[in-house]
Amino acid sequence: MDVFYEVFGWIGSILIVVSLMQARMLVFRWMNLVGSLVATAYNLIYGIWPYVAMNVAIVIINAYWLNRLYREANDPDVYQVLPTPSDSPFVLHLLRTHSTDIAHFAPDFTPEPAAEDRRHTFLVVRGDEAVGVVAVREAGNGVGEVELDWVKPRFRDFTPGRFVYRDSRALPDAGFRQVRLTPHEMTDREYLRKAGFRTERTEWVRDLTA
């Protein structure tokens, strides 16, 4: 039985350590919560009360943040959309800094649009932090081609990019009545459905309220 408890304790420790290496906030919080619960039970079995108290505190902290993160995930007052010039130094810096990650989701995207393209860029922000970028190119007649819909890994589980399409006036105010995109291998189809897109032949299409 002691061997079982030792293995049980090691599992908790491993989960806590691995959680600290996670870039995604939701994954980090859940792994840390489970690891702390296991560690609490292990230390409770052996009566190591200081570590019981510490891990109980960590469990409570993780539970608080998970509740807050899930609550804020659908709050347009938390995630806001800022129309930003495509040649903004900050936007270009953000896109270049994360170019490797962006290339997985939009391999044909370049930070600087072609001279003939009319690109509209929208920053998704949480407080004072930019968490994502949506770039839309004018295709004529109020139709926009989504060139990029990218979010930092930390926030990816919360799909804040959907606020650009669903809860913001940014696209209609820019003159778009419809946006379209051609999905890539890494495109999250379920995310597109939640954002209000529908399939139309090889494209995903979303109509916008005027």
Side-chain angles (χ1 to χ4, degrees), residues 11-108:
I11 289 173
S13 297
I14 290 170
L15 282 171
I16 292 172
V17 171
V18 173
S19 75
L20 298 175
M21 298 186 290
Q22 303 305 309
R24 299 170 79 152
M25 280 199 296
L26 203 57
V27 176
F28 159 67
R29 288 293 173 189
W30 273 113
M31 289 186 69
N32 201 268
L33 174 66
V34 174
S36 298
L37 282 170
V38 172
T40 298
Y42 176 80
N43 287 291
L44 191 60
I45 291 167
Y46 288 100
I48 309 174
W49 303 112
Y51 286 102
V52 169
M54 180 186 71
N55 282 287
V56 166
I58 295 173
V59 167
I60 293 171
I61 291 169
N62 279 312
Y64 164 80
W65 278 106
L66 282 166
N67 177 65
R68 179 172 172 176
L69 289 169
Y70 279 115
R71 189 177 68 248
E72 292 179 347
N74 296 303
D75 190 343
D77 291 328
V78 174
Y79 293 97
Q80 298 180 334
V81 180
L82 303 179
T84 310
S86 296
D87 59 354
S88 159
F90 177 74
V91 169
L92 293 176
H93 171 73
L94 183 67
L95 295 174
R96 289 167 182 154
T97 299
H98 297 278
S99 59
T100 301
D101 186 54
I102 288 172
H104 286 292
F105 302 94
D108 299 326

Side-chain angles (χ1 to χ4, degrees), residues 99-143:
S99 59
T100 301
D101 186 54
I102 288 172
H104 286 292
F105 302 94
D108 299 326
F109 180 80
T110 56
E112 298 85 358
E116 66 274 12
D117 288 342
R118 298 194 61 184
R119 176 187 290 173
H120 296 253
T121 302
F122 306 92
L123 282 180
V124 183
V125 299
R126 185 179 189 275
D128 62 354
E129 180 180 3
V131 304
V133 180
V134 172
V136 182
R137 179 179 59 84
E138 290 185 15
N141 298 319
V143 178

Side-chain angles (χ1 to χ4, degrees), residues 120-167:
H120 296 253
T121 302
F122 306 92
L123 282 180
V124 183
V125 299
R126 185 179 189 275
D128 62 354
E129 180 180 3
V131 304
V133 180
V134 172
V136 182
R137 179 179 59 84
E138 290 185 15
N141 298 319
V143 178
E145 294 286 344
V146 179
E147 296 183 301
L148 176 69
D149 185 339
W150 169 84
V151 174
K152 289 180 180 178
R154 281 201 307 138
F155 298 91
R156 200 159 287 159
D157 292 310
F158 308 108
T159 59
R162 70 186 188 278
F163 288 105
V164 176
Y165 312 107
R166 197 185 68 186
D167 298 294

